[in-house]
Amino acid sequence: MSTEPPPLSGPPLDDSRRRWLSAFLATSVGATILSFLYPVLRYLIPPVTSEPSLSELELPFKSSDLPPNSGRIVPFGGKPILVFRTPAGELKALSAVCTHLNCTVQYRKDRSDVWCACHNGTYNLDGGNVSGPPPRPLTALEVNVRGDKIVVRKA
């Protein structure tokens, strides 16, 4: 009895198909791994960004567009600011970022104060803490009216 395998019959094996399939699988596995690693690396290594060095801003609305006892939130550099006109008609600008957890504050015309809706923090019209958890007052900004234009500047 012979222990040798029977001789192969038919065309010779094509090794190029096997190499192509291996390369295709390796590329697919590599792409899958990269698709999982990329977001993780972007999270761990955030891009370097710097806050725009903006020290003065001319607002996109006129002084006459802001009636007494009203306010608007405007982007200034990389952060929002709150520009409002008091019931007495005085123009003021404060940082609109709550000092507690960086929520955006808003002007409440029914109470004539500045309010943070996140944790019910209240500031007076000069940015000082009145109630709630905010640990520090809001940063006040300098407001100038040039003609009918409002210009806000970091104090």
Side-chain angles (χ1 to χ4, degrees):
M1 206 162 162
S2 170
T3 59
E4 292 182 23
L8 294 175
S9 62
L13 292 176
D14 186 10
D15 201 30
S16 66
R17 236 172 50 183
R18 179 171 290 193
R19 280 185 280 158
W20 182 86
L21 187 58
S22 294
F24 177 75
L25 288 175
T27 304
S28 299
V29 170
T32 302
I33 290 171
L34 285 177
S35 70
F36 284 108
L37 285 180
Y38 180 74
V40 172
L41 291 176
R42 290 284 297 181
Y43 176 76
L44 294 175
I45 308 168
V48 177
T49 58
S50 62
E51 184 175 326
S53 60
L54 192 62
S55 62
E56 184 176 289
L57 175 69
E58 183 178 308
L59 299 183
F61 51 89
K62 298 176 184 175
S63 173
S64 58
D65 294 339
L66 199 60
N69 203 21
S70 66
R72 288 187 179 187
I73 295 176
V74 180
F76 183 62
K79 297 183 179 179
I81 61 169
L82 175 65
V83 180
F84 58 96
R85 191 178 294 271
T86 65
E90 184 181 4
L91 265 175
K92 293 193 172 197
L94 299 170
S95 167
V97 179
C98 181
T99 57
H100 178 224
L101 289 177
N102 296 332
C103 297
T104 301
V105 299
Q106 57 188 317
Y107 180 77
R108 287 194 303 188
K109 64 181 184 181
D110 58 332
R111 294 185 172 200
S112 295
D113 63 5
V114 179
W115 179 59
C116 177
C118 289
H119 299 100
N120 201 22
T122 307
Y123 300 91
N124 63 22
L125 297 182
D126 294 323
N129 300 43
V130 174
S131 66
R136 296 181 310 279
L138 295 173
T139 303
L141 303 168
E142 183 181 319
V143 181
N144 294 312
V145 178
R146 297 179 188 158
D148 201 24
K149 299 180 185 226
I150 302 172
V151 178
V152 178
R153 171 183 282 186
K154 288 183 181 176

